[in-house]
Amino acid sequence: MAVTQFGNYLIPFLLTPFIIRKIGAAQFGEISYFQNAVIYITLFINFGFEFTATRLVARNQKNKERLAYIFFNTLLAKVFLLLISVGITFGWFLSSNKLQSNIPLLSVCWIINFGFVLYPGWFFQGMEEMKLTSLFNLAIKTTGALAILLFLHQENYLLVPISFSLSQIAIGFIAFFFSMQRYNFYDALRSFKLSLSSILQNLKESLPIFITQLTNSTYLLGTFLIVAVFISSDELGYFSGVQKFIYALLMLVQLPLNNALFPFVNRVSESNPLKGKIIVKKLMIGSIGLGIVLATLVYMLAPIIVALFLNTTDEQVILQMQTFSWLAAIMPLSGVVAYQGLYANYLDRYSSVISIICAITACSFTFFTGNSLGVFSAIWGWIIAQWLDTCLTLFVLRIKRHT
C-alpha cells in the first residue's frame, strides 16, 4: 500500500520537470491556473462525501441493505451536483475574461468531473479497503502519465489535462462497476427508489464539511488564482511547480495515514470516547515530531530539489521552497487534529467556521501584499492560514474536552 500511495502523490509532481521542458513554464502555468479553477467545481461535486458518506459506510459495514442505499444515494447526490455545476461554470465563465481566453483548455480540464462522480473511493475507505482506493488512484495517475510521456510536445499541450481527465473518467467507470459486482449491488439497484428528500438530507449533513473543504482549498487554490494577477506566466509556472512538490510531499506523508485511521478512530470514539481521546493525543505527539523533521529536510534540500525537479537554480525559486518549510512544520499536526479530532467526533460545524476565518485571512493577505511581495504573498498567505487553522482547531478540541 505504501508503494501505491507513493505513486499517487509523486507521479504528478515527477512529471512536472518533463512537462516544463516540453511546453515551457508559461504554458505549464496556464494549465495549472485552469486546473486549479476547475478543482472548485470538483469540490462542489464531492461535497464532503469523503467524510460523511465514509462515516455512514463505516458504521454499516455488515448491513448490506443499508450499504446499498448509502452507495446509490450518494451517487445520485453527486449526479445532482454535477448538473448544478454546469450552470455554475457557465456563470463563472461569463464573468471571467481569463476563463474565456482558452475555452478548449477549460473544457478538457472540466470533464474530469465525470470521473469523480462515478469514482466510489469514499465507499472503499468506509469499508476500510484502502488498498483498493490506492490501486485505482495509482491506475489513474499511471495511465495519464504514460500518455503524456509518450505523446506530449509543445504544439499539443492540451494533452496534459486531456490525459488526466480521460484516465479519471475511465477508472471511474471501472471502479463503479467493480464495486457493483464486488458488493453485489445489482439486486439492490432494482429495488432502489429515487428520493429527492433523501438526497437533500444527504447534502445537508455534508454541508459543514463541504464548506470546510471549500474554504481550506482557498489556502492553496484561491491564493494561487489571486497571485496570478501580480506575476508573470513564467513566475507562475515555477511557483506552480514548487507548490505541487510541497503539496505532494505533505499529502504523501499525512493523507494516507489519516484516511486509513479515520474510520477506525470514528468507531472507537463512538464506542469509547476516552480511548478515542488517548489515540488522538498519541497521534498528535507523533505528528509534531514528523513536522519538525519534514521542515528541516525541505529547508536543507531545497536547492537540490529545485535543480533536480524544476531544472533551475534561480535563487528566488529556491527561497520559495525554503519558505514552505514553515508549512511542512505544521501540516502533519493540522491533519491529525482535523481528521481524527473534529471529523471523527462529529464536530464538523466548528471546522467550517474555522476554515472560513482562515480562508478570508489567506486571501486578504495575498490580495493586499501581492503587489509588493509577489509570489511570496501566496506562500505566506497559505502558511499563516494553516497555522491559524491548527491553533483554532486545538482551541476548540480543548474546550469540548472540558464540556
Side-chain angles (χ1 to χ4, degrees), residues 249-250 253-254 283-299 324-334 387:
L249 175 65
L250 297 178
V253 169
Q254 65 153 346
L283 290 172
M284 288 170 58
I285 294 172
S287 67
I288 293 172
L290 179 60
I292 294 172
V293 173
L294 279 178
T296 303
L297 290 175
V298 168
Y299 187 88
F324 266 127
S325 64
W326 285 95
L327 186 68
I330 195 64
M331 277 297 285
L333 176 61
S334 183
W387 276 80

Side-chain angles (χ1 to χ4, degrees), residues 1 3-12 46 50 78 112 115-116 118-125 129-145 163-164 167-172 174-175 251 255-256 259:
M1 180 175 169
V3 174
T4 55
Q5 291 290 359
F6 177 86
N8 288 335
Y9 296 105
L10 266 294
I11 285 176
N46 286 333
E50 308 96 302
K78 295 178 79 170
I112 196 173
F116 284 115
L118 288 169
Y119 183 64
W122 53 271
F123 188 84
F124 297 141
Q125 184 181 335
E129 292 190 308
M130 293 303 297
K131 185 176 181 180
L132 286 176
T133 302
S134 301
L135 289 173
F136 277 121
N137 281 332
L138 182 61
I140 294 168
K141 302 297 191 299
T142 303
T143 303
S163 298
F164 287 116
S167 60
Q168 180 70 52
I169 293 170
I171 302 301
I174 294 171
M251 292 304 101
L255 196 58
N259 280 342

Side-chain angles (χ1 to χ4, degrees), residues 77 171 301 336-337 403:
I171 302 301
L301 299 179
V336 168
V337 296
T403 58

Side-chain angles (χ1 to χ4, degrees), residues 142-192:
T142 303
T143 303
L146 286 175
I148 291 171
L149 290 172
L150 292 174
F151 304 112
L152 180 65
H153 52 81
Q154 188 169 9
E155 290 74 22
N156 70 342
Y157 72 98
L158 289 177
L159 181 65
V160 175
I162 288 174
S163 298
F164 287 116
S165 291
L166 293 183
S167 60
Q168 180 70 52
I169 293 170
I171 302 301
F173 269 104
I174 294 171
F176 171 75
F177 286 109
F178 173 84
S179 57
M180 289 283 290
Q181 180 68 38
R182 182 180 180 87
Y183 302 104
N184 195 22
F185 285 158
Y186 287 103
D187 291 337
L189 178 60
R190 298 186 186 97
S191 60
F192 179 80

Side-chain angles (χ1 to χ4, degrees), residues 1 21-22 51 54 110 117 177 187 201 206 228 235 241 274 282 284 289 316 330 334 340-341 363 367-368 370 397 403:
M1 180 175 169
R21 290 190 189 100
K22 284 287 186 177
F51 296 99
T54 295
W110 195 93
V117 168
F177 286 109
D187 291 337
Q201 180 62 31
S206 298
E235 288 177 305
L274 179 59
K282 290 180 178 179
M284 288 170 58
Q316 284 297 303
I330 195 64
S334 183
Q340 319 307 340
C363 288
F367 179 79
F368 288 111
L397 291 176
T403 58

